[in-house]
Amino acid sequence: MTAGAAVAARRLLLLRHPRHSHLLPKHQFSSSAAADGLDGGDGGRVKIFDRDLKRRHRDRAAWAMRENDALLDAVADNLLDRLEDCRKAFPSALCMGGAAGAVRRLLRGRGGIEKLTMMDMSEDMVKKWRELENAAEDGLETNFIVGDEEYLPIKENSQDLIMSCLGLHWTNDLPGAMIQCRLALKPDGLFLAAILGGETLKELRIACTIAQMEREGGISPRMSPLAQVRDAGNLLSRAGFALPGVDVDRYTVKYNSALELVEHLRAMAETNALFQRSPILKRDTALATAAIYQSMFGLEDGTIPATFQVIYMTGWKEHSSQQKAKRRGSATVSFSDIRKEFGSNQE
């Protein structure tokens, strides 16, 4: 095993070792059901992600984030490109969570935004954004609030545009969060979101699974299962959005080692937030994971690739000016007539 792989494995151990309890959630539950992620105060709904832990991840990322992150910048810029396809302006806009800092920096007048509200569940992240805003000189009126995407503190019919760049995939009820966004939009308001898809970090998942099977004889939830949206268009429709649009991009980022990948994930606040995660990563498993990753996916130049799948979603709040689908059965020409007409011309 290379020295780099060993260092990376030790770093993976640090992320889960009990001595570093400040990196782990401090559960204060009164029942075993709550400890398993069941919210007894909300009709027994199962919660997959520990939102309090994710908030602390965001706190840490506020001071670990890179000034310019090529991956976050690429995703944010791609998301903002969709504003250039719109003929209308969006005077009031909300940008929440995830890579909102990159969105603000790369906005550059797109969308005709006059008043921007930036929201994050982390108070430290909001403080960081406010400090960066003081250095900006573009004249855009910007407000900052601390709030959770699961309980959106925004008035109904108050925003022309709502954007979420790499944040909503950590919500326990994604359709519910999207419904709240729709309610906060004005009629004919636009919803833009980018979430990480299920193929994200597939190389690390494979390496970790093989290592656990070899060293522990089984697998346990080490990594959070990112949003697996088989039909994102249906998800938008369920949330009540009109004119839904979905497309998927894949980004491959090269790292010098698994250590560098882990550090990047920490800086993006994309580390494990599962309620039922395993708190301890055994040393042998960590060493095996780093070695397997390098041996299976290592490139000729010595780097390792990591895949990030990003799902982009657009949806509009209904308005009378929007195009409407024709009523079922209202067609005046049948497909059989079309086949007869064009079929005869081809013969």
Side-chain angles (χ1 to χ4, degrees), residues 99-108 116 118 133 136 138 140 142:
V103 171
R104 173 66 182 93
R105 178 164 42 81
L106 298 173
L107 190 57
R108 294 193 291 267
L116 176 67
M118 297 185 66
E133 183 66 23
D138 57 4
L140 176 61
T142 308

Side-chain angles (χ1 to χ4, degrees), residues 34 38-45:
L38 292 178
D39 185 3
D42 193 16
R45 185 180 64 182

Side-chain angles (χ1 to χ4, degrees), residues 206-218:
I206 292 172
C208 189
T209 298
I210 295 175
Q212 284 187 293
M213 291 296 292
E214 288 183 351
R215 304 302 171 122
E216 302 177 25

